[in-house]
Every structure is written in C-alpha cells, then in structure tokens.
Amino acid sequence: MKKISLSILTALCIFCAPLSAYEWGGLLSNDLGVVAAKDTDTSIMDTIGISAWYNAPLGSDGSCYLSSEATFKYNIFSVAGENSGSGLFDVDLLKISKDIENGDGKISINAGRFSVVDSTAAVFSQNSDGVSVKYILPQIQVAGYVGYTGLLNALNTSMYAALPDQKDIYSLAYPYLPVSLSLDFPVLLGNQSLGLQLNGFIDCGDYKTNLYYANAVLSGPITNSVYYNLATSFGSADFDNLMNYTNLTVYAFPNEALTISGGVEYASGDQGPFDPFYGVSAKTAASASVSPILSGVILPKAGVTYTTADMCFDVGAKYLVSCLTSDIKGVGAELDAGFVYNIFSDLQLGLNVSKFIDTSDSNTDNFMATLNLALAF
C-alpha cells in the first residue's frame, strides 16, 4: 500500500510540475519519554520517526499547489522490564490548494487530506479528508468544509472513538462526516474580531450519535501590548442534551521576546442544564494527570514564554478543579516546562517536563518527561 501510494503521488507530481519547481525534504526524529507515577512501575517509550514532504506548483501561474507529507513511526514500550513494540505509517498531508482572485476578495479552495481545527480548538483538531472553500473579503470571511474521517489511520488520530486492536501499521479510523460553516468579521469596532461557526459530525459508524456544536470567538487588543481571546462552544448529541466549553485567555507582550499569558478553561460537567462536555477530537486538561480528559473541569492557568532567534523556553502552571458532578472539588496542580533549541539550522533539541501534584484523597502524583531530537534533510 505504501509503495503504491508513493508511486501514484510521484507520477502525479512529475506530470503536473516542472523539475525546477520541486520542493522536497524530510525529518528524522527520536522522542524518548518517561512516566513515573506513585505506587506504579515507571514506563518508558521511545518513538523513532521518519517523515518526507514534497511540494510542487500545478500549472504555470502558481495559483494551484500540491502539498504532501508521509510519516513512519516505530514505538518501543518498556514497563517493569517487559518490552513491546509497534509501528505505524500515515499520510499526514496530501492537499491541492487553489487561490482565485475575485475583485477585492479571494476564493481559497483546499481539497485532500489536511489539518482541520474548529474555532475553539476543543471540538475538532486533527487531520481529515475533505474539501474547504473560503471567500475572503476585507471586512468579512465566509468558509465551509465537508470531510470524512473513516480513511484516516486510527493509530495516529486523536478521536474519542475507541481505537482498534493494533494488528497492522494502518487501521481505519472511526467514520464521521464533519461539516462546518464559518462567518468571521476580522475588523470590528476597536479592532476587535468576531467569529461564528456551526459544526456537525454525522456518525457513519456503529454508535449512530450525531454531534452538533455552535461556536463563537471574540478577540482583540485591550491595550497596545495586551490582547484577549474568548471562545465558547455549545454542543449537543442528537439535540438531546446541552454541553459547553469556554476558554478565556489574556496575553501580554512586554517586549518582542517575552509573552505572558493567563486565563481559565471550563468544560461542563453534569450540572444544571449541562451534561459533561466532549468533542470529537480528544483534548487533555493536564498532560501529567491520571485523568487528563477535558470534561467536567475548571482549569485556571498561567504561563510565560521566552523566545530568541534559535531558542524557545516556556513554563506554565494550572490547577485542575473537578466539576463533573455537583460536588466541585480541587484535584491537583500541574507544573510544566519546555525548552526547544535549534543547534544548527537542520538539527533541533527539545525537552518537556510535567509534574502533577495531586491534592485530592487519591494522592496520585505523576511525573512526565520527553526528550526530542530532530534532524531535517
């Protein structure tokens, strides 16, 4: 299957683009992670990956473009001295893009497999196969998308739907038919922007539960160096219930290198008119927590990021409050730190560390660390 896909892609590119216009490259990576939790065995996972990308214009005017990327990963797990391994292959990107100038506006069309993110990034944030059309004007932008998730690799897709038992390097994902319609006003009074979006996910699988979400995002400057972003999503399963996700974040930029952020996330639980919130793509509330799903939680958070030409360093803190039921209680605090350094233009080193301090009766502290090394070619 891999050889056939690459052969078809290569033939298409050679037919449509001159040799001088080709752009291609690749990435070798190694991610070594460790998880240590109280009263459990320490686990280690090493992921070795190789990816290749290829881009080329289609036609002579440069308005149509082919973008593609494929990845192979092999994961090695070690827990209590017992080792296991598994691999996966995925086509991460296979997209044809076309821009059409239309008076003061522009029509942008994308078709194929590419990343799709809803306006809140809490409902759907992953690859999907489909078509998007966006009409861009100075004062308004209208966009639509329709796709299908059933041809994705379930082993490389972050959906809540249950993963199959891994027997091959490519297993078909749970089939949804995502449909969205967006209306954005990029410049309102005081340089504020407003985005409205409707999302529907038609269940084509065995669950037969359709999901619907209505999103609104308001953002803009408070001062010249302070900005805010307020996003909310009201969702329902088959219009039989109501759930909500809301995120408020304020950003301060004291200088070009420093960013300070703070805010709070809320994902409804079984309280009042709401049921527990969940989207289509899985999202975590706290990466080092033993219960990381973003559902029935209140999450105050703050962070600082420092960036230079070849380095990025960030630290963050959040406190997880459970509101899954009427009994609202604190669960624990998480401290995060990350560091990325471009050793050379084609060699990057990264380190991420998370510590979860459980303040509940469970007392299940947790520690995670991941060391990343990537070489571009």
Side-chain angles (χ1 to χ4, degrees):
M1 178 179 177
K2 178 181 178 182
K3 292 182 179 179
I4 294 175
S5 300
L6 292 177
S7 299
I8 293 174
L9 176 60
T10 302
L12 176 63
C13 296
I14 292 174
F15 178 77
C16 296
L19 182 62
S20 60
Y22 292 170
E23 295 179 354
W24 67 275
L27 188 72
L28 292 171
S29 63
N30 185 265
D31 300 332
L32 179 62
V34 59
V35 178
K38 188 174 181 179
D39 299 327
T40 62
D41 293 321
T42 299
S43 62
I44 299 174
M45 184 176 75
D46 190 18
T47 301
I48 302 168
I50 180 171
S51 61
W53 57 268
Y54 179 93
N55 300 329
L58 305 178
S60 58
D61 61 356
S63 64
C64 191
Y65 210 77
L66 170 71
S67 305
S68 62
E69 182 178 344
T71 300
F72 177 78
K73 295 180 181 179
Y74 191 79
N75 302 309
I76 302 171
F77 304 91
S78 179
V79 180
E82 297 185 3
N83 300 324
S84 61
S86 63
L88 68 87
F89 168 76
D90 203 2
V91 178
D92 304 296
L93 176 66
L94 185 58
K95 178 181 69 171
I96 294 177
S97 304
K98 173 71 174 179
D99 289 334
I100 304 172
E101 300 294 335
N102 184 24
D104 293 335
K106 181 175 71 173
I107 300 174
S108 180
I109 303 172
N110 295 299
R113 176 172 296 181
F114 51 93
S115 177
V116 178
V117 183
D118 79 285
S119 57
T120 68
V123 175
F124 192 78
S125 180
Q126 61 178 66
N127 280 345
S128 182
D129 298 320
V131 178
S132 69
V133 179
K134 188 173 186 178
Y135 186 39
I136 304 171
L137 289 168
Q139 300 298 326
I140 190 172
Q141 300 176 5
V142 182
Y145 175 81
V146 61
Y148 183 67
T149 66
L151 298 178
L152 301 174
N153 189 348
L155 306 174
N156 199 33
T157 303
S158 59
M159 290 197 296
Y160 280 116
L163 287 174
D165 294 333
Q166 181 165 356
K167 298 179 181 178
D168 301 305
I169 61 175
Y170 201 108
S171 298
L172 295 179
Y174 191 81
Y176 281 106
L177 184 72
V179 180
S180 71
L181 179 63
S182 304
L183 184 63
D184 294 306
F185 302 91
V187 182
L188 294 177
L189 183 64
N191 290 324
Q192 308 301 301
S193 64
L194 173 65
L196 304 174
Q197 187 178 62
L198 297 175
N199 295 279
F201 300 89
I202 310 303
D203 192 333
C204 303
D206 296 332
Y207 297 153
K208 303 302 180 185
T209 302
N210 300 326
L211 301 171
Y212 305 96
Y213 302 87
N215 300 351
V217 179
L218 184 65
S219 62
I222 300 174
T223 67
N224 290 336
S225 60
V226 179
Y227 293 76
Y228 76 96
N229 187 87
L230 174 62
T232 189
S233 177
F234 289 91
S236 180
D238 289 330
F239 297 111
D240 290 333
N241 65 347
L242 182 65
M243 46 191 173
N244 175 250
Y245 168 83
T246 299
N247 182 14
L248 173 63
T249 306
V250 178
Y251 303 91
F253 303 92
N255 54 55
E256 293 184 355
L258 187 64
T259 303
I260 302 172
S261 64
V264 61
E265 282 185 90
Y266 165 76
S268 63
D270 189 6
Q271 293 181 329
F274 297 122
D275 281 354
F277 175 85
Y278 63 94
V280 176
S281 302
K283 184 176 180 180
T284 58
S287 58
S289 169
V290 294
S291 300
I293 300 301
L294 186 66
S295 182
V297 297
I298 302 171
L299 195 67
K301 56 185 180 179
V304 177
T305 301
Y306 181 79
T307 306
T308 65
D310 54 10
M311 184 270 294
C312 179
F313 178 73
D314 65 88
V315 293
K318 58 186 71 172
Y319 189 77
L320 185 62
V321 178
S322 174
C323 61
L324 192 59
T325 64
S326 58
D327 184 17
I328 300 176
K329 57 184 179 181
V331 176
E334 179 171 288
L335 305 176
D336 303 298
F339 176 78
V340 176
Y341 178 61
N342 294 324
I343 303 173
F344 304 109
S345 60
D346 53 2
L347 182 62
Q348 185 180 86
L349 177 69
L351 176 65
N352 292 283
V353 177
S354 297
K355 171 65 176 179
F356 185 78
I357 305 170
D358 195 331
T359 59
S360 68
D361 296 335
S362 300
N363 195 25
T364 54
D365 291 0
N366 205 350
F367 173 81
M368 296 176 61
T370 304
L371 179 66
N372 317 103
L373 186 64
L375 175 64
F377 62 88

